[in-house]
């Protein structure tokens, strides 16, 4: 994907995070137990963090070649949002218990994404001339 495609993905993930947050604050607040609401809000928060990371990644890709590290970072953030935030949403809403096993896998995907983004940014950095 090119840089602006990643910006669009990040914007969509951010919009969905705002919608989920509003859903949690206005509707789920009345129906969920406090620990479940905290779990849901954690999913929203991490989704928004990584939506913003996707925006930054997309902007980086507009000024630097989108190499394999940058693509790995983007896809890792997307997979992390799906597994980490998605599993927390499911657990909070009373989904099957096995969803808890997806949460740490999503967390690892986030970590891989941040490392890959650091590698991509290092490769994209201008080299000092001697």
């Amino acid at each position: 994907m090119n840089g602006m495609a990643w910006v669009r993905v990040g914007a969509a993930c951010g919009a969905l995070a705002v919608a989920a947050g509003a859903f949690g604050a206005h509707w789920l607040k009345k129906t969920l137990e406090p620990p479940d609401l905290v779990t849901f809000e954690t999913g929203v928060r991490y989704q928004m963090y990584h939506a913003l990371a996707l925006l930054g990644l997309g902007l980086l890709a507009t000024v630097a070649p989108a190499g394999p590290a940058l693509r790995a970072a983007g896809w890792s953030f997307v997979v992390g949002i799906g597994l980490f935030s998605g599993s927390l949403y499911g657990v909070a809403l009373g989904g099957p218990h096995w969803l808890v096993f997806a949460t740490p896998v999503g967390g690892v995907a986030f970590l891989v994404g941040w490392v890959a983004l650091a590698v991509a940014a290092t490769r994209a950095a201008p080299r000092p001339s001697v």
Side-chain angles (χ1 to χ4, degrees), residues 22-130:
F23 177 67
H26 297 291
W27 191 73
L28 293 180
K29 189 175 188 178
K30 300 172 189 172
T31 60
L32 290 183
E33 295 296 320
D36 291 329
L37 190 58
V38 168
T39 298
F40 190 87
E41 289 171 346
T42 300
V44 170
R45 188 170 57 253
Y46 275 77
Q47 180 172 340
M48 183 56 80
Y49 292 156
H50 291 88
L52 294 172
L54 284 164
L55 292 176
L57 181 149
L59 294 175
L60 176 62
T62 64
V63 298
L70 200 60
R71 284 190 296 278
W75 285 113
S76 293
F77 290 149
V78 170
V79 167
I81 289 170
L83 292 175
F84 185 88
S85 295
S87 66
L88 291 181
Y89 297 150
V91 167
L93 295 172
H97 182 71
W98 59 261
L99 285 173
V100 299
F101 299 109
T103 309
V105 177
V108 169
F110 285 151
L111 291 171
V112 168
W114 285 109
V115 170
L117 182 57
V119 168
T122 301
R123 290 181 180 162
R127 305 277 188 237
S129 57
V130 196

